[in-house]
Amino acid sequence: MRLSQSSSILLASVIISLGLYLGLRSSKTEVAPPPTTPAVEDPAPAPEEWPTQEQTAAEVTAVVTQAHPRWKAACWDTADPATRQPGRYISSLAFDASGKLTISGIGEIRDGSDPAIAQCLRMQVNTFTISPPGHPVAYEVPIRMP
């Protein structure tokens, strides 16, 4: 029995395809399922446990008041007495839902602050935390130096 050229090509293609199919099928590797990540607990309290806005504002003011002696020692007490001037500033603080400080800044009151003292206040590292408010909050607290 003699096959035509096209039949020979077709038969060879079927044999090669079958060989590839059987060869690849036997070399299948097990694919592990994707790792499951544990559920992350929300650190924020339930809405009925959130402090009121007034309570959070009072706590932020207390945090700034407690930091004032540290800021005074670092910025006012070390400044040149001949050039330092008493001043008023604004401490801007933002906290995430868990009460961790996310943004901290110091603003100057125009014609009412000492730029050198303001720059020193900006350089202070603040790691304030407050009771978890359950949502992001931001407050501005006025401060005076000395």
Side-chain angles (χ1 to χ4, degrees):
M1 170 173 171
R2 189 166 165 106
L3 297 175
S4 68
Q5 187 177 8
S6 60
S7 297
S8 297
I9 292 173
L10 181 61
L11 182 60
S13 298
V14 169
I15 292 172
I16 291 172
S17 298
L18 184 60
L20 284 174
Y21 173 74
L22 294 175
L24 292 176
R25 189 170 164 215
S26 66
S27 68
K28 245 187 191 176
T29 57
E30 289 292 320
V31 177
T36 58
T37 55
V40 178
E41 290 186 31
D42 186 10
E48 59 274 1
E49 299 172 7
W50 292 347
T52 65
Q53 186 174 0
E54 292 79 19
Q55 291 170 325
T56 303
E59 189 173 356
V60 171
T61 299
V63 165
V64 171
T65 301
Q66 291 170 358
H68 191 273
R70 178 175 53 89
W71 292 345
K72 181 181 177 293
C75 298
W76 179 262
D77 296 346
T78 61
D80 182 4
T83 59
R84 70 182 181 198
Q85 298 175 19
R88 298 174 310 163
Y89 308 89
I90 300 287
S91 176
S92 300
L93 303 168
F95 299 86
D96 66 11
S98 68
K100 290 174 67 177
L101 182 68
T102 56
I103 299 172
S104 173
I106 298 291
E108 298 178 55
I109 305 295
R110 186 177 303 214
D111 298 328
S113 62
D114 182 330
I117 300 291
Q119 185 58 30
C120 177
L121 289 170
R122 288 183 193 106
M123 300 304 293
Q124 301 305 301
V125 176
N126 299 309
T127 56
F128 304 139
T129 57
I130 60 171
S131 300
H135 52 86
V137 294
Y139 292 94
E140 291 185 340
V141 180
I143 57 175
R144 291 186 168 270
M145 278 291 153

